[in-house]
């Protein structure tokens, strides 16, 4: 096959200095060299129009290359003032992107059910209050709930969770009966405690009323006793004045009685004296005749004056001064003391009766209080046991519900 010669135009800028083209002719117009090639065994030379088009393509390719290179330069040749702003902007966008990713991740976690041993409820919990199937959200306290795996496992297992559900439901039934028995026991004991409380209140009221009656009786008894003491004191006074009046009246009558003692004579046995002297007791074993107290000598006139004075003191009346008046005054005072004693005896008896009644009712009150306190304590213990049983059944029921939820088919929305 004859060889074809193809000629294309190459810019001189892209030619090697040591290149040896086959055709060294230059065209003065374009400063281009013509290179001859053998194509398919034929030797031919391109026309000028084709040469111009090929040059345009080469220039366009060179321009595109320059544009590509120029776009890659600004990232490395940025002005110092702009570099900082771009860097901060880039970091800010990067930081916002990270936070946004974390937020999306946190929001996604909220919508997911918890894994084994993760928190699923309680204080400050913001996630979804559920666990993966095969795990139960068990309430540990009001502050914390945890996703629990089936017993003996550290992962969620549906089959084992079904066994746990059955086990907990079986556990709940006897606890309900136990709690019901404890509640009934507490109700019975509390009813008895209430009844004994009422009995104690009534016994206390009865005892207090009896005490008030006993106190009132004692007050009257004390008052009457004071009256009796005053009457008795007066009776002794009147009796002594009466005796003095009778002695001096007798002395006046015994003026010349020789059987009586004389002046300063012994009158212990005779009990009388002559010449207006009185038988004055010196001690329990000896009495002597002498003038009235305050007088220096004995006389009938002095004796009568002394008798009259003592009689008036006995009767309390200046017109009643005879021996008879003095005796009557003394007898009246004795009778008055007797009546006061009788009145006092009645108040003493009333006080004794009311006091005995109070002692009796107070004893009943103490017994009622003791029984009330004992019954109250039993009721409190029964209440504590009932509350404990109620708490146990509540926790058991919550556990049963949690394990029932762990095996329940998810509801599609």
């Amino acid at each position: 096959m004859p060889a074809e010669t193809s000629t294309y135009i190459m810019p001189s800028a892209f030619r090697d200095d040591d290149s040896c083209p086959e055709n060294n002719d230059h065209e003065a117009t374009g400063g281009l060299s013509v290179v001859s090639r053998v194509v398919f065994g034929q030797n031919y030379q391109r026309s000028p129009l084709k040469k111009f088009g090929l040059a345009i393509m080469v220039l366009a390719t060179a321009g595109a290359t320059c544009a590509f290179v120029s776009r890659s330069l600004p990232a490395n040749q940025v002005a110092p003032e702009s570099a900082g702003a771009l860097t901060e902007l880039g970091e800010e966008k990067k930081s916002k992107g990270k936070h946004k990713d974390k937020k999306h991740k946190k929001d996604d976690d909220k919508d997911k059910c918890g894994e084994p041993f993760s928190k699923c409820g309680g204080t400050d919990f913001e996630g979804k209050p559920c666990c993966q199937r095969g795990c139960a959200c068990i309430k540990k306290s009001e502050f914390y709930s945890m996703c629990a795996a089936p017993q003996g496992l550290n992962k969620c297992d549906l089959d084992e969770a079904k066994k746990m559900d059955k086990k907990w439901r079986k556990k709940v039934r006897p606890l309900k009966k136990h709690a019901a028995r404890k509640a009934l026991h507490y109700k019975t004991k509390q009813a008895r405690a209430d009844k004994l409380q009422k009995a104690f209140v009534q016994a206390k009221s009865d005892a207090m009323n009896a005490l008030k009656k006993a106190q009132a009786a004692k007050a009257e008894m004390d008052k009457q006793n004071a009256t009796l003491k005053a009457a008795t004191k007066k009776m002794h006074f009147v009796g002594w004045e009466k005796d003095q009046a009778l002695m001096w009246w007798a002395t006046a009558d015994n003026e010349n009685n020789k059987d009586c003692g004389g002046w300063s004579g012994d009158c212990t046995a005779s009990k009388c004296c002559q010449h207006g002297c009185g038988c004055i007791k010196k001690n329990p074993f000896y009495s002597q005749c002498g003038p009235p107290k305050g007088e220096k000598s004995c006389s009938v006139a002095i004796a009568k004056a002394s008798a009259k004075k003592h009689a008036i003191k006995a009767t309390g009346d200046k017109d009643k001064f005879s021996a008879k008046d003095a005796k009557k005054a003394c007898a009246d005072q004795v009778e008055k003391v007797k009546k006061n004693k009788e009145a006092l005896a009645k108040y003493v008896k009333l006080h004794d009766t009311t006091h005995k009644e109070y002692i009796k009712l107070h004893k009943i009150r103490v017994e009622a209080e003791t029984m009330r306190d004992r019954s109250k304590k039993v009721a409190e213990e029964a209440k504590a046991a009932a509350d404990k049983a109620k708490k146990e059944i509540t926790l058991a029921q919550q556990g049963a519900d949690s394990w029932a939820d762990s095996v329940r088919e998810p509801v599609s929305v």
Side-chain angles (χ1 to χ4, degrees), residues 49-169:
L49 182 60
K50 290 182 178 180
K51 292 178 181 179
F52 181 74
L54 183 59
I56 292 299
M57 291 178 62
V58 173
L59 290 173
T61 303
T65 302
C66 291
F68 175 76
V69 173
S70 64
R71 282 196 301 271
S72 64
L73 289 176
N76 298 324
Q77 299 178 358
V78 180
E81 293 80 2
S82 303
L86 291 174
T87 303
E88 293 177 0
L89 181 61
E91 290 179 355
E92 184 178 356
K93 289 183 178 179
K94 187 176 180 181
S95 177
K96 287 184 178 179
K98 288 183 179 179
H99 288 303
K100 188 174 182 180
D101 292 341
K102 288 183 179 179
K103 184 176 181 182
H104 284 309
K105 186 177 180 181
K106 189 174 182 180
D107 292 340
D108 292 341
D109 291 342
K110 287 183 179 180
D111 296 334
K112 293 180 180 179
C113 290
E115 298 178 351
F117 311 111
S118 63
K119 190 175 182 179
C120 59
T123 306
D124 300 331
F125 180 71
E126 298 179 354
K128 194 173 182 180
C130 66
C131 301
Q132 296 176 359
R133 281 192 81 195
C135 285
C137 185
I138 302 299
K139 183 178 179 181
K140 299 294 184 180
S141 68
E142 59 180 319
F143 308 104
Y144 181 73
S145 296
M146 183 186 76
C147 288
Q151 187 174 5
L153 300 179
N154 57 3
K155 65 178 181 178
C156 301
D157 188 290
L158 185 58
D159 293 334
E160 292 297 325
K162 289 180 179 179
K163 294 179 181 179
M164 293 295 292
D165 175 33
K166 185 177 180 180
K167 178 181 177 181
W168 277 84
R169 281 189 285 109

Side-chain angles (χ1 to χ4, degrees), residues 50-320:
K50 290 182 178 180
K51 292 178 181 179
F52 181 74
L54 183 59
I56 292 299
M57 291 178 62
V58 173
L59 290 173
T61 303
T65 302
C66 291
F68 175 76
V69 173
S70 64
R71 282 196 301 271
S72 64
L73 289 176
N76 298 324
Q77 299 178 358
V78 180
E81 293 80 2
S82 303
L86 291 174
T87 303
E88 293 177 0
L89 181 61
E91 290 179 355
E92 184 178 356
K93 289 183 178 179
K94 187 176 180 181
S95 177
K96 287 184 178 179
K98 288 183 179 179
H99 288 303
K100 188 174 182 180
D101 292 341
K102 288 183 179 179
K103 184 176 181 182
H104 284 309
K105 186 177 180 181
K106 189 174 182 180
D107 292 340
D108 292 341
D109 291 342
K110 287 183 179 180
D111 296 334
K112 293 180 180 179
C113 290
E115 298 178 351
F117 311 111
S118 63
K119 190 175 182 179
C120 59
T123 306
D124 300 331
F125 180 71
E126 298 179 354
K128 194 173 182 180
C130 66
C131 301
Q132 296 176 359
R133 281 192 81 195
C135 285
C137 185
I138 302 299
K139 183 178 179 181
K140 299 294 184 180
S141 68
E142 59 180 319
F143 308 104
Y144 181 73
S145 296
M146 183 186 76
C147 288
Q151 187 174 5
L153 300 179
N154 57 3
K155 65 178 181 178
C156 301
D157 188 290
L158 185 58
D159 293 334
E160 292 297 325
K162 289 180 179 179
K163 294 179 181 179
M164 293 295 292
D165 175 33
K166 185 177 180 180
K167 178 181 177 181
W168 277 84
R169 281 189 285 109
K170 185 178 180 181
K171 181 180 180 181
V172 166
R173 286 192 291 270
L175 286 177
K176 284 184 176 179
K177 293 181 180 180
H178 178 69
R181 287 196 301 269
K182 291 296 182 181
L184 180 60
H185 179 67
Y186 162 64
K187 185 177 179 180
T188 302
K189 295 303 180 183
Q190 186 59 47
R192 175 171 172 76
D194 293 340
K195 183 178 179 180
L196 290 175
Q197 172 65 19
K198 292 180 179 179
F200 164 70
V201 171
Q202 184 61 46
K204 183 179 179 182
S205 177
D206 294 342
M208 290 301 296
N209 290 333
L211 177 62
K212 290 179 181 179
K213 291 180 179 179
Q215 289 175 339
K218 186 178 184 301
E220 291 295 331
M221 180 184 69
D222 292 341
K223 183 179 178 181
Q224 187 60 42
N225 190 42
T227 302
L228 176 61
K229 285 182 177 180
T232 303
K233 184 177 180 180
K234 187 176 181 180
M235 180 188 71
H236 291 308
F237 172 78
V238 171
W240 186 84
E241 294 294 339
K242 180 262 302 182
D243 291 340
Q244 292 298 311
L246 292 179
M247 183 189 69
W248 291 112
W249 282 122
T251 297
D253 294 338
N254 292 326
E255 179 181 3
N256 298 314
N257 189 349
K258 293 181 180 181
D259 294 331
C260 296
W263 178 274
S264 299
D266 185 2
C267 61
T268 305
S270 63
K271 302 296 182 184
C272 63
C273 299
Q274 304 178 43
H275 315 298
C277 289
C279 188
I280 300 171
K281 187 176 182 179
K282 296 297 182 176
N283 56 55
F285 310 101
Y286 176 72
S287 297
Q288 184 182 29
C289 293
K293 187 176 180 179
E295 299 294 336
K296 294 181 180 181
S297 61
C298 296
S299 70
V300 174
I302 293 175
K304 288 182 178 180
S306 181
K308 186 176 180 181
K309 181 181 70 173
H310 286 293
I312 291 173
K313 286 183 178 180
T315 60
D317 188 348
K318 63 180 181 179
D319 295 331
K320 295 180 179 181

Side-chain angles (χ1 to χ4, degrees), residues 1-4 38-43:
M1 177 182 235
E4 281 187 12
V38 177
V39 182
F40 299 112
Q42 297 182 3
N43 189 11

